[in-house]
Amino acid sequence: MFTALLDVLAPQACLGCGLAHMGRVCDGCLAGWVGSVAQRMPVPVPAGLPRCWSAGDYSGSLREAILAYKERGQTGLAAPLGEALAYTALTALAGSGGPRGGVVVVPVPSARRAVRGRGHDPVRRLGALAASRMRAAGVRAVLVPALAQARRVADQAGLSATERAANLRSSLRVTGRLRGAPGASAVLVDDIVTTGATLAEATRALRSAGAEVVAAVTIAATRRRS
């Protein structure tokens, strides 16, 4: 809470340009993030993965902002990161011909132990902020945390794409909250896409419940080397 208060009250160096700014990311650097929005698919593409969009590569100030927000308690960064996620989602929807009816923003759920350790669910918070910004832009969007962990999975660090897919298979389930949004298009949101295994598993779970997943949206995408 003290860190969040400092983010609001005391100007700090922008993570991008280093100039003093409230909220840790200045408008110019935020514009630089969203100016890089593109469709970035992992290679190889896991089966069932929808079109995957991200604001930029997982590097530089974007990487630093995600790490500071998730791992160092700098929750004031939720606002610019949520803005970047919203802009990416709007671009993804435009690329798919626009939403047919409403849009449900479905965050990829964090493991319970991770939520306890951080004191909050970072992706769910970003999804809520993104849905709010999308509504401000005229899109009928609502956050629907429809996914939950079905079982525990092993740590993904160091696993290959094939191992990650096997580790995550049938690890997510739908909670039933999608029943309140009939006919809506689902947009999956997460902070980072690496192999795409998590987003593919989330898509499988949603489609098994009859949802139409039109896009997967993340803040950043990693570039894996073979």
Side-chain angles (χ1 to χ4, degrees):
M1 290 178 64
F2 181 68
T3 302
L5 186 62
L6 283 179
D7 287 342
V8 173
L9 298 179
Q12 300 182 58
C14 171
L15 289 173
C17 63
L19 297 177
H21 188 271
M22 296 288 189
R24 297 303 311 278
V25 180
C26 72
D27 293 343
C29 290
L30 177 59
W33 288 356
V34 300
S36 301
V37 170
Q39 190 175 153
R40 293 177 174 88
M41 302 294 289
V43 179
V45 178
L49 183 70
R51 288 188 295 176
C52 191
W53 295 74
S54 59
D57 290 331
Y58 186 55
S59 62
S61 63
L62 193 55
R63 177 180 182 275
E64 177 62 24
I66 293 171
L67 286 174
Y69 168 62
K70 285 181 61 178
E71 310 300 344
R72 301 175 199 143
Q74 296 187 23
T75 54
L77 285 164
L81 290 173
E83 189 86 17
L85 190 63
Y87 188 87
T88 305
L90 291 170
T91 304
L93 289 171
S96 65
R100 295 176 292 279
V103 174
V104 292
V105 176
V106 182
V108 170
S110 300
R112 293 187 184 93
R113 60 186 180 276
V115 173
R116 287 194 300 268
R118 293 170 178 147
H120 70 115
D121 187 331
V123 174
R124 182 167 176 168
R125 177 179 292 189
L126 292 177
L129 290 169
S132 176
R133 293 299 300 148
M134 292 166 71
R135 288 193 297 272
V139 174
R140 191 155 48 89
V142 61
L143 179 77
V144 180
L147 293 171
Q149 299 283 338
R151 60 174 178 82
R152 295 189 66 174
V153 298
D155 189 348
Q156 295 276 78
L159 298 183
S160 67
T162 302
E163 291 168 338
R164 286 186 177 219
N167 183 43
L168 293 169
R169 191 170 295 121
S170 299
S171 64
L172 296 176
R173 62 181 176 84
V174 174
T175 64
R177 298 183 185 182
L178 283 174
R179 295 172 187 167
S185 301
V187 174
L188 269 170
V189 296
D190 205 352
D191 55 345
I192 307 166
V193 57
T194 302
T195 66
T198 301
L199 291 169
E201 167 58 17
T203 300
R204 179 208 62 78
L206 289 173
R207 286 176 175 164
S208 70
E212 180 191 11
V213 183
V214 295
V217 175
T218 68
I219 299 169
T222 63
R223 294 301 184 196
R224 292 173 62 84
R225 295 180 175 85
S226 60

